[in-house]
Amino acid sequence: MSILLTGGAGYIGSHTLTELINGGYDAVVMDNFSNSSPKALERVEELTGKKIRYYEADISDRNALEKIFSENDIREVINFASLKAVGESVEKPWEYYNNNIGGTLTLLDVMRRHGAKNFVFSSSATVYGDPAVIPITEECPKGTCTNPYGWTKWMLEQILIDMQKADNEWNMVILRYFNPIGAHPSGRIGENPNGRPNNLMPFITQVAVGKLPELGVFGNDYDTPDGTGVRDYLHVVDLARAHVKAIDKLRENPGCFICNLGTGQGYSVMELIKTFEEVNGVKIPYSIKPRRAGDIATCYCSPEKAEKELNWKAQFGIAEMCRDSWNWQKNNPDGY
């Protein structure tokens, strides 16, 4: 039996692939490499000592999916194949709805045709919108999303819930990520955005390595201690290990299981910059810019359900996240 990782060469996918293989699981990767590199899979082979089976294909390509399911005994799927930049989604809503929703629906249809009804979905804290309570628990109502990226996750969650309700052979694990940063401690795999980064940490590391002149801090007038946005940053290796736990959860036939993944600790943009500078001895020049469309002031979770029901807890702190992010970037200044 194999686990299919769609988008498995990407940032979170490659780290999850590494943890799954090291945990003794058999995995197959599918990726269109639109925002990733086949070299990431070579690095995973190097880290694990295992040859990776992978297909270059898109989740919207039904024929490619049929081929993958016909050639492999796939029982579970972890879907990482989504476009994920908040700002870009505001500018390109059609592309986001088409890929994230349309592609996932095609994937789910092929899965059910092959009797593979176990699905781990990469959701996001964005489904809470501007959250009603802080820290955010899973009981917090889903809010009005502030960008199309968030809406794709919001709508897909509802689709998965409805599918499982209609057919109890399905098992769905919905993981609501908070803010993954960091890299593998080896420095061999990490976040490698194509073009200008959309997320904060790769922006910081590219400034640190000299690829960008300064960091733009979007808004310093939020209702937070220092005026900059507060987020729940999570080490990507911790996040990857949560997916191994999610596979174990699927095998208990949980029906539909929804869980936050975060540390439960909020840090502001300025705190993250300061910690990065202190841990790595590198100065980060920055300037204050206007707020970005779709951003909110504060977002961090209660991680209690993950600890209790998924048997998972974040092990790394903000210092390790900053250290490992810089270790990746300084050793791979141009990415893969």
Side-chain angles (χ1 to χ4, degrees):
M1 291 198 310
S2 298
I3 303 161
L4 175 65
L5 279 66
T6 64
Y11 174 44
I12 299 167
S14 60
H15 287 82
T16 301
L17 178 64
T18 302
E19 295 300 320
L20 283 168
I21 293 170
N22 286 340
Y25 297 84
D26 186 61
V28 178
V29 170
M30 170 182 171
D31 204 301
N32 66 4
F33 302 116
S34 64
N35 196 31
S36 60
S37 169
K39 288 181 181 168
L41 300 178
E42 293 172 17
R43 301 279 184 93
V44 173
E45 289 179 340
E46 174 193 309
L47 290 169
T48 61
K50 296 279 188 182
K51 188 76 181 155
I52 308 297
R53 281 174 293 150
Y54 76 90
Y55 297 79
E56 183 172 355
D58 191 280
I59 56 165
S60 299
D61 186 341
R62 184 179 293 272
N63 291 336
L65 285 166
E66 288 285 355
K67 176 180 164 69
I68 293 166
F69 277 84
S70 298
E71 292 180 358
N72 301 276
D73 181 20
I74 293 163
R75 298 292 92 195
E76 296 114 352
V77 175
I78 307 178
N79 183 25
F80 296 114
S82 70
L83 300 173
K84 61 184 180 66
V86 167
E88 184 184 61
S89 77
V90 176
E91 297 162 12
K92 298 180 175 178
W94 184 88
E95 285 80 359
Y96 273 68
Y97 289 119
N98 184 55
N99 180 83
N100 294 8
I101 296 179
T104 303
L105 287 172
T106 302
L107 171 63
L108 289 164
D109 190 33
V110 175
M111 284 176 67
R112 66 181 180 177
R113 280 171 41 75
H114 288 267
K117 294 184 175 181
N118 297 292
F119 192 65
V120 179
F121 178 57
S122 303
S123 192
S124 165
T126 56
V127 300
Y128 293 112
D130 202 344
V133 293
I134 296 286
I136 302 167
T137 69
E138 290 80 2
E139 283 67 48
C140 178
K142 286 164 69 176
T144 299
C145 294
T146 54
N147 54 77
Y149 164 73
W151 280 119
T152 68
K153 298 298 187 183
W154 198 105
M155 293 175 192
L156 280 166
E157 280 198 11
Q158 192 60 50
I159 289 166
L160 299 179
I161 291 165
D162 290 343
M163 285 180 66
Q164 198 282 325
K165 204 180 286 181
D167 178 359
N168 63 15
E169 288 184 4
W170 278 101
N171 293 293
M172 309 289 194
V173 173
I174 295 170
L175 301 176
R176 292 174 177 164
Y177 304 171
F178 278 66
N179 290 72
I181 60 173
H184 194 273
S186 66
R188 298 300 287 155
I189 55 174
E191 191 164 7
N192 182 44
N194 287 346
R196 197 171 180 81
N198 287 297
N199 295 332
L200 178 59
M201 184 55 85
F203 218 120
I204 290 174
T205 59
Q206 289 195 16
V207 170
V209 84
K211 290 186 78 174
L212 295 169
E214 66 172 16
L215 173 70
V217 175
F218 296 101
N220 66 344
D221 57 351
Y222 287 105
D223 184 16
T224 62
D226 62 20
T228 62
V230 169
R231 296 292 182 269
D232 190 337
Y233 296 102
L234 170 68
H235 198 296
V236 68
V237 172
D238 276 330
L239 179 58
R241 289 171 180 167
H243 289 80
V244 180
K245 298 289 189 182
I247 292 296
D248 296 340
K249 189 73 176 175
L250 279 179
R251 293 177 180 180
E252 296 170 10
N253 298 314
C256 192
F257 178 80
I258 300 173
C259 195
N260 289 333
L261 295 179
T263 64
Q265 173 71 53
Y267 290 93
S268 74
V269 173
M270 294 311 301
E271 284 178 305
L272 188 65
I273 294 168
K274 187 179 174 195
T275 304
F276 186 93
E277 290 180 333
E278 287 173 354
V279 167
N280 298 311
V282 182
K283 196 76 184 149
I284 304 297
Y286 67 88
S287 63
I288 305 299
K289 310 274 187 180
R291 293 185 185 191
R292 287 187 307 190
D295 278 350
I296 60 174
T298 302
C299 187
Y300 62 91
C301 80
S302 165
E304 287 177 16
K305 186 176 181 181
E307 190 172 354
K308 205 177 292 178
E309 298 184 43
L310 204 60
N311 192 28
W312 172 89
K313 187 177 182 180
Q315 301 299 310
F316 298 103
I318 198 77
E320 291 98 332
M321 298 179 214
C322 290
R323 178 201 66 200
D324 292 339
S325 294
W326 178 230
N327 185 43
W328 153 255
Q329 188 73 75
K330 73 182 179 186
N331 288 305
N332 303 271
D334 297 313
Y336 291 112

